[in-house]
Amino acid sequence: MADIQDLSKLEADIVAAIVAANDEATLDAVRVAALGKKGSVSDLMKSLGGMSAEERQTAGPALNGLKDRLTEALAARKSALTEAALEARLAHEKIDVTLPVRESAIEAGRIHPLSQVLDEVISIFADMGFAYEQGPDIESDHYNFTALNFPEAHPAREMHDTFYFEPRADGSRLLLRTHTSPVQVRTMEKGKPPFRFICPGRTYRSDSDQTHTPQFHQIEGLVIDETTHMGHLKWVLEEFLRAFFEVEGVELRMRPSFFPFTEPSMEVDVRCARLGNEIRIGEGDDWLEILGCGMVHPNVLKAAGLDPEKYQGFAFGMGLDRIAMLKYGIPDLRAFFESDLRWLRHYGFSALDVPSLAGGLSS
Ligand code: DAH
């Protein structure tokens, strides 16, 4: 049997190894080497059996004491290591909750004011029972002019600053539509009266300044049946402008005008106040031109295959960009097409702001 000195040396060595163990695996190896089945302390315990009774009386308590102290030291070291590991993890994985939360894509993205205004216009007219129609951007001279009662070589054709394509073999030239009015004829041709629809879309003219861009947007409206008259036209426009500008007291003024495809033709102004650069709709003593309209010319009905003795109705057309600028106080049309993110963040709308008459158009 090892004497007391040997025992204390053994204890000192094992305790040193315990203290030096820097991770749980090393510590466990120290435990197995001392207290495992073939460990140094276990070996000594086994030797108790071969001792005399007196020897065992001193060696027994000494070895048991050693075993208890080592077990305790191992447990203490183990819990110290666990705690240190937890501390390290906490320090490493900590997050700074004071950092600003990054916006999700749906919050950061913006709907272009033009898209928003188009949705507003569509929801207002849908509420009045207007269907939605579309036509091609590339048009023939027939649909853009002739079927709309523009006489050949009439100066009104020149007024439109048309973009023409190269002449085809037969000499005819396609063009980029200068207005959405051709969709009137296209839609009447393919359907049967009564008609009540709007057709928004891209339009093109060779023109560029603060309020004109070569590509812009219009919205056309058409109502044809056997009885529709100018009173209906006025009511529809009043309803539309009141809902769109979200002011109860919108006041209209109809001025006689000229368009080849309507007779009579009118331009519609809304009452407004001009305060410096700002325009307020529905108050003040000024007037602002907002759209063109009239009763559809018999020649247009004929061109679309309808009998003008039987059918009649009204049409109107307005610039979508223009009413967007007016409603949302946007001073320069060209910015609509520049894709400047700072501009979009300022004038754009949240993707979750879906306009509806029930929910409020722009609230
Ligand atoms: N097409 C016309 C333009 O671009 C606008 C217009 C005026 C359309 C009167 C109409 C209308 O339907 O009746 O200048």
Side-chain angles (χ1 to χ4, degrees):
M1 162 65 201
D3 62 23
I4 296 299
Q5 264 188 352
D6 288 343
L7 268 193
S8 31
K9 162 101 175 52
L10 180 65
E11 179 168 356
D13 286 350
I14 298 175
V15 169
I18 290 173
V19 172
N22 269 331
D23 55 66
E24 292 194 22
T26 313
L27 185 65
D28 205 50
V30 175
R31 179 188 64 78
V32 171
L35 303 178
K37 254 192 202 153
K38 293 184 178 150
S40 49
V41 178
S42 308
D43 278 349
L44 291 175
M45 300 289 272
K46 279 179 214 150
S47 69
L48 284 175
M51 288 181 192
S52 66
E54 301 96 83
E55 277 177 327
R56 211 178 298 139
Q57 243 172 17
T58 45
L63 283 174
N64 277 328
L66 170 62
K67 191 180 164 193
D68 290 348
R69 287 192 298 280
L70 290 181
T71 306
E72 221 168 89
L74 281 164
R77 183 67 188 148
K78 184 166 174 159
S79 79
L81 283 178
T82 312
E83 208 167 295
L86 182 64
E87 286 298 326
R89 235 183 103 191
L90 285 177
H92 178 66
E93 292 179 4
K94 104 176 147 197
I95 51 163
D96 182 351
V97 292
T98 65
L99 280 176
V101 177
R102 191 186 292 167
E103 276 183 310
S104 71
I106 195 148
E107 287 161 323
R110 282 286 171 272
I111 299 292
H112 195 287
L114 206 52
S115 304
Q116 187 79 5
V117 161
L118 182 57
D119 283 348
E120 293 181 13
V121 170
I122 291 171
S123 76
I124 297 169
F125 280 110
D127 198 56
M128 292 195 267
F130 281 68
Y132 176 95
E133 296 290 345
Q134 278 188 296
D137 289 18
I138 297 176
E139 263 303 359
S140 63
D141 188 81
H142 172 75
Y143 283 111
N144 198 78
F145 293 123
T146 312
L148 289 167
N149 196 37
F150 285 78
E152 296 291 340
H154 189 277
R157 292 191 188 218
E158 307 306 314
M159 272 162 46
H160 278 200
D161 299 314
T162 313
F163 286 114
Y164 284 100
F165 288 84
E166 292 294 322
R168 292 184 290 188
D170 64 2
S172 65
R173 286 191 296 173
L174 290 175
L175 50 87
L176 289 173
R177 67 176 176 193
T178 58
H179 49 177
T180 42
S181 304
V183 190
Q184 289 186 23
V185 180
R186 284 184 175 276
T187 309
M188 284 192 280
E189 269 180 354
K190 65 175 197 216
K192 277 205 194 104
F195 295 104
R196 192 198 285 156
F197 60 85
I198 52 166
C199 34
R202 294 196 176 96
T203 45
Y204 307 82
R205 289 183 203 183
S206 179
D207 206 352
S208 184
D209 60 34
Q210 193 175 337
T211 52
H212 296 89
T213 46
Q215 188 255 298
F216 57 107
H217 300 84
Q218 283 191 342
I219 179 151
E220 193 82 12
L222 186 75
V223 175
I224 297 290
D225 56 25
E226 296 178 28
T227 54
T228 287
H229 55 67
M230 268 179 51
H232 298 130
L233 168 60
K234 183 158 187 262
W235 182 85
V236 164
L237 294 178
E238 249 165 18
E239 276 298 295
F240 166 70
L241 293 171
R242 187 182 57 71
F244 179 75
F245 286 110
E246 300 176 61
V247 279
E248 269 314 311
V250 163
E251 206 183 318
L252 308 191
R253 180 174 80 172
M254 292 178 134
R255 273 180 297 108
S257 182
F258 171 79
F259 302 105
F261 36 90
T262 43
E263 181 57 39
S265 301
M266 286 146 289
E267 272 170 326
V268 173
D269 303 334
V270 283
R271 183 182 283 284
C272 71
R274 287 174 214 262
L275 309 146
N277 275 340
E278 196 194 341
I279 293 181
R280 292 219 191 121
I281 306 289
E283 51 188 273
D285 300 317
D286 242 327
W287 294 95
L288 182 77
E289 187 200 320
I290 203 116
L291 58 89
C293 62
M295 297 304 289
V296 176
H297 197 288
N299 288 347
V300 176
L301 296 171
K302 266 190 239 161
L306 296 185
D307 177 4
E309 294 298 322
K310 189 166 177 202
Y311 295 109
Q312 62 181 44
F314 63 77
F316 58 87
M318 64 192 147
L320 206 58
D321 319 84
R322 182 170 159 75
I323 61 171
M325 289 167 77
L326 282 171
K327 179 165 181 179
Y328 292 111
I330 305 172
D332 194 323
L333 175 59
R334 289 166 296 194
F336 275 57
F337 308 101
E338 279 167 2
S339 304
D340 184 331
L341 278 178
R342 293 163 304 177
W343 185 89
L344 254 182
R345 274 184 207 118
H346 181 78
Y347 287 110
F349 293 81
S350 157
L352 301 171
D353 257 354
V354 181
S356 80
L357 286 181
L361 282 180
S362 60
S363 59

